[in-house]
Amino acid sequence: MRSVPAMAAITALLLGPAAPAQAAPAPGEAGDPPSDSWKRRTSLLVMPQRPRQNNVVRILAHCPTAANHALIGSTAFRLKGSARLYREVGLGLSDRGLGRRSVAISYYAPLGHHVVHMTCVKVTIDKRTRVSHRKVISRYALPLQVRRFRIGQFF
């Protein structure tokens, strides 16, 4: 059996000299995203992703910090007895662009695949004339599947 230094010498001959260890790059160097890149991202999360009829879903939204309001709409949010097929709900955002809201899925919501659309907007109001102006900042869409109501989900 050979000694450890002899094995290291044979390995060095076969593989060549070992590459020097590189230090970890410092934060902010090229290749790293800027530290405030999350402020410009748009994201949407609907939980659960496969709700049943007569359930309540929780909506978590993040818009760029330039936006102060979000409009979230889908055909899955229809109200009972309403002739409208598509319903939009408003969502106020914090200074960091975060917002959350609960929305009910009706017992009469159509089954199957739906799309949840989110539009982040900047709303400004002229206090003298009370006219509001809306500027679209970003948009996002997310799939949602509505399943059949089951009474067994409560037992």
Side-chain angles (χ1 to χ4, degrees), residues 106-118:
S106 172
Y107 178 78
Y108 301 99
L111 302 175
H113 296 282
H114 300 271
V115 178
V116 179
H117 297 279
M118 179 177 73

Side-chain angles (χ1 to χ4, degrees), residues 26-109:
E29 285 188 5
D32 289 343
S35 62
D36 63 343
S37 65
W38 65 272
K39 294 180 183 178
R40 293 185 299 272
R41 297 191 189 247
T42 304
S43 61
L44 177 67
L45 177 65
V46 178
M47 298 184 306
Q49 294 176 353
R50 295 180 59 220
R52 295 188 184 274
Q53 292 171 324
N54 204 31
N55 272 9
V56 175
V57 294
R58 186 170 181 90
I59 297 174
L60 303 172
H62 179 264
C63 290
T65 54
N68 61 1
H69 196 74
L71 297 171
I72 301 166
S74 177
T75 54
F77 302 155
R78 290 175 51 176
L79 293 175
K80 175 186 171 186
S82 176
R84 294 180 184 255
L85 299 177
Y86 188 84
R87 178 177 169 219
E88 281 189 345
V89 293
L91 175 66
L93 300 173
S94 68
D95 294 338
R96 294 173 40 189
L98 301 170
R100 64 180 182 266
R101 179 168 181 157
S102 297
V103 178
I105 304 291
S106 172
Y107 178 78
Y108 301 99

Side-chain angles (χ1 to χ4, degrees), residues 1 6-7 14 16 41 53 75 112 120 122 141 145 153:
M1 186 161 175
M7 292 297 286
L14 293 175
R41 297 191 189 247
Q53 292 171 324
T75 54
C120 300
K122 172 74 173 179
Q145 182 182 4
Q153 68 184 342

